[in-house]
Amino acid sequence: VKVSDLSPRRPPRAPIVTTGAAGMAPKRAPRNPSVDAKMTLAGAVVDANGKLDRAVYKALQDQFEDVPRTGRRKLQTRGVSEGETAAEGLIAWEDTKGSGWIARHPTRTRAQKASEGVWYSARAWGSWRFAYLLAALQRDVWNTSIAAEQPAAPEAPAQQAQQAQQAQQAQQA
């Protein structure tokens, strides 16, 4: 029995696709989160509570892989790409039960329960990168829904006066 026969097998790589241009070498299919519309704010799939639909996003898990590690990374940079900054309202956590990212609800304060946020475990979601992207998307969904609920800013008194004057002039004419 060979040692190589006893080692666990690696999962299959992404299929090789051609670029379509003559003379170009084949390349691997992209493993980029921006490929799927569900990973964008416009295409986000949420439940009745405004949280990302976990069943829908579990199907995307195999499309993500960790950001390549270069030495030991700080907790707040795990899953964050080179040149990217961790989004506001996200907290990286690590304890004896696991690790990952927490999306804090924008209208909640630190004094409120941690359950007011959504926790994305790096182990459960398969990678730090996917956990980070889901937490950032959840935060964006909440921010957008809060902005949509805000009443429009009242018009300035000067604009109101000008509009009233124009209305009077229109009636007199």
Side-chain angles (χ1 to χ4, degrees), residues 87-99:
E88 184 179 335
L90 301 183
I91 301 165
W93 105 90
E94 183 171 38
D95 59 22
T96 57
K97 295 179 183 177
S99 56

Side-chain angles (χ1 to χ4, degrees), residues 54-151:
R54 290 179 178 263
V56 170
Y57 288 93
K58 268 296 191 192
L60 301 177
Q61 186 172 342
D62 64 337
Q63 295 182 22
F64 295 86
E65 54 190 18
D66 273 325
V67 174
R69 290 193 175 204
T70 53
R72 184 152 171 82
R73 295 192 66 170
K74 293 180 184 177
L75 182 62
Q76 292 294 329
T77 62
R78 292 182 188 170
V80 180
S81 290
E82 192 76 30
E84 188 178 29
T85 306
E88 184 179 335
L90 301 183
I91 301 165
W93 105 90
E94 183 171 38
D95 59 22
T96 57
K97 295 179 183 177
S99 56
W101 285 92
I102 305 167
R104 278 227 170 120
H105 197 284
T107 61
R108 308 300 192 263
T109 64
R110 283 187 179 264
Q112 292 175 319
K113 298 187 305 186
S115 64
E116 297 296 336
V118 179
W119 296 53
Y120 294 97
S121 165
R123 187 181 316 143
W125 290 99
S127 73
W128 274 96
R129 181 67 179 158
F130 195 29
Y132 170 76
L133 290 171
L134 289 172
L137 181 59
Q138 178 64 69
R139 180 70 180 201
D140 289 345
V141 166
W142 280 333
N143 284 336
T144 302
S145 68
I146 289 170
E149 293 171 2
Q150 298 290 332

